[in-house]
């Protein structure tokens, strides 16, 4: 594969490593040139989001006018914008700022006719698709954004427009497949994957167990990822009851209430770890 790709991401590059970074870095290693646009959000920030705002400013300062080279063939754009995703005035200003900056960058590096690959079903995706000439528009539907917060529910109509406009739609689950096929027939289910090579290297090497696992002598059923609202905690609790001789170890950030999981003595919650440490 040797393409130009604009990735409209729903997370920042240095956030928890997910399919966003995994896919785009893989394309870059295969010879494609990738512009990774960091998250512009689906809701208006609140006071608790101030650290993220400060971090965005720092990321912008890392590069030249917000653009920086992260690895061979992969560039990250940390845009500064008005964080009001459903305001017409803010959308107009953001469109002028972001699209103008992206076009200038494209011209400076000889980047043309990209594939636009979006994880973010917002006005920004629509504006980029309508204002930048491209080969293909791909939408990867990884989540039901309207269920993440009351503010995010406003995104439903916009997401439906993104689905209709897309040439290809990838989804994570059967429920998302059914939803997206109401608006587009070119929908393909691609469930979450894993880079097995990293885990194989760790299994073959003689490395000590992480401290969190040292005292576990039972078989381990492991999970790496965010502990979110979509996790069926009651089902996991029932499994833990049935498999008392096993220990369930969850490695990842706790992003929802976990009172149900904490009821079981053979369920261990480990906080988020560096991506490089997860295979261990």
């Amino acid at each position: 594969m040797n393409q130009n790709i604009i990735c409209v991401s729903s997370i920042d590059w240095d956030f928890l490593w997910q399919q966003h970074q995994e896919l785009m870095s893989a394309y870059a290693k295969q010879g494609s040139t990738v512009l990774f646009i960091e998250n512009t959000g689906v809701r208006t920030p609140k006071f608790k989001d101030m650290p993220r705002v400060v971090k965005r400013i720092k990321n912008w300062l890392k590069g030249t006018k917000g653009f920086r080279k992260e690895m061979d063939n992969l560039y990250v754009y940390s845009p500064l914008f008005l964080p009001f995703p459903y305001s017409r005035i803010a959308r107009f200003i953001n469109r002028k700022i972001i699209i103008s900056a992206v076009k200038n960058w494209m011209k400076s590096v000889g980047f043309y006719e990209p594939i636009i690959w979006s994880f973010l079903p917002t006005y920004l995706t629509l504006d980029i698709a309508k204002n930048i000439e491209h080969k293909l528009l791909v939408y990867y539907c990884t989540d039901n954004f309207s269920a993440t917060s009351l503010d995010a529910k406003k995104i439903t109509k916009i997401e439906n427009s993104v689905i209709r406009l897309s040439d290809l739609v990838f989804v994570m689950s059967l429920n998302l497949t059914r939803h997206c096929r109401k608006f587009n027939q070119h929908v393909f289910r691609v469930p979450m994957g894993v880079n097995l090579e990293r885990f194989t290297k760790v299994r073959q090497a003689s490395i000590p167990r992480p401290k969190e696992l040292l005292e576990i002598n039972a078989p381990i059923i492991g999970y790496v990822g965010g502990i979110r609202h979509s996790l069926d905690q009651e089902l996991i609790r029932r499994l833990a009851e049935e498999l008392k001789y096993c220990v369930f170890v969850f490695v990842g950030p706790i992003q929802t209430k976990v009172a149900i999981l904490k009821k079981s003595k053979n369920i261990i919650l480990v906080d988020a770890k560096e991506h490089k440490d997860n295979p261990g």
Side-chain angles (χ1 to χ4, degrees):
M1 182 174 181
N2 189 0
Q3 302 288 336
N4 292 327
I5 301 172
I6 293 177
C7 174
V8 185
S9 178
S10 57
I11 61 172
D12 289 351
W13 177 261
D14 55 2
F15 187 60
L16 294 170
W17 190 272
Q18 299 175 40
Q19 64 266 40
H20 309 62
Q21 301 101 318
E22 185 72 33
L23 284 170
M24 294 304 134
S25 59
Y27 288 143
K29 289 173 183 175
Q30 291 171 8
S32 292
T33 302
V34 178
L35 176 63
F36 187 98
I37 302 177
E38 293 191 309
N39 187 21
T40 50
V42 298
R43 60 175 177 82
T44 302
K46 299 176 181 177
F47 183 75
K48 66 179 181 179
D49 297 309
M50 281 306 297
R52 293 173 59 191
V53 174
V54 172
K55 189 176 181 182
R56 171 55 56 85
I57 294 171
K58 289 180 178 178
N59 283 349
W60 189 88
L61 292 171
K62 281 183 189 176
T64 302
K65 296 183 179 180
F67 293 87
R68 69 182 188 272
K69 186 174 182 178
E70 193 64 39
M71 56 184 283
D72 287 346
N73 299 328
L74 193 146
Y75 301 83
V76 174
Y77 176 38
S78 304
L80 297 182
F81 58 96
L82 295 178
F84 308 105
Y86 307 104
S87 161
R88 290 186 179 183
I89 295 174
R91 180 188 175 189
F92 174 80
I93 294 172
N94 291 338
R95 181 169 63 238
K96 292 290 184 183
I97 293 172
I98 295 175
I99 292 178
S100 175
V102 170
K103 283 185 173 181
N104 287 337
W105 178 86
M106 290 172 63
K107 187 176 180 180
S108 69
V109 301
F111 185 102
Y112 56 90
E113 287 192 332
I115 293 171
I116 299 173
W117 182 301
S118 183
F119 291 94
L120 197 64
T122 60
Y123 284 123
L124 177 63
T125 294
L126 294 175
D127 289 338
I128 289 176
K130 291 175 181 178
N131 288 277
I132 293 178
E133 189 173 343
H134 57 278
K135 286 183 178 178
L136 207 65
L137 174 60
V138 178
Y139 173 46
Y140 196 160
C141 183
T142 60
D143 200 357
N144 180 358
F145 283 97
S146 64
T148 58
S149 73
L150 291 175
D151 286 344
K153 286 185 177 180
K154 300 174 185 176
I155 205 171
T156 302
K157 289 184 179 179
I158 308 166
E159 181 179 42
N160 294 347
S161 297
V162 171
I163 296 169
R164 287 190 184 97
L165 190 63
S166 296
D167 299 292
L168 285 173
V169 178
F170 296 124
V171 296
M172 294 284 289
S173 68
L174 285 173
N175 282 342
L176 292 175
T177 302
R178 296 186 189 102
H179 169 69
C180 291
R181 281 190 177 154
K182 295 176 185 175
F183 311 101
N184 192 318
Q185 291 305 303
H186 303 289
V187 178
F188 301 90
R189 185 166 68 95
V190 183
M192 183 74 78
V194 64
N195 189 327
L196 286 175
E197 184 181 353
R198 294 191 185 120
F199 287 84
T200 301
K201 285 180 180 177
V202 170
R203 291 172 70 90
Q204 292 173 344
S206 298
I207 64 169
R209 273 192 169 199
K211 64 180 186 297
E212 292 88 353
L213 307 181
L214 278 178
E215 297 182 6
I216 300 176
N217 296 314
I220 293 174
I221 297 175
Y223 169 87
V224 177
I227 300 173
R228 308 176 63 225
H229 65 91
S230 54
L231 205 64
D232 191 335
Q233 293 189 37
E234 181 56 33
L235 174 60
I236 294 164
R237 187 197 63 77
R238 285 163 49 200
L239 284 171
E241 286 292 314
E242 292 289 332
L243 302 171
K244 290 183 182 295
Y245 60 91
C246 294
V247 175
F248 291 68
V249 179
F250 288 78
V251 182
I254 297 174
Q255 300 165 318
T256 188
K257 295 178 181 179
V258 290
I260 294 175
L261 296 181
K262 287 184 175 180
K263 290 179 181 178
S264 300
K265 293 182 179 180
N266 58 332
I267 294 178
I268 297 175
L269 302 177
V270 179
D271 207 351
K273 296 294 182 182
E274 291 287 331
H275 181 64
K276 62 182 176 58
D277 296 329
N278 282 334

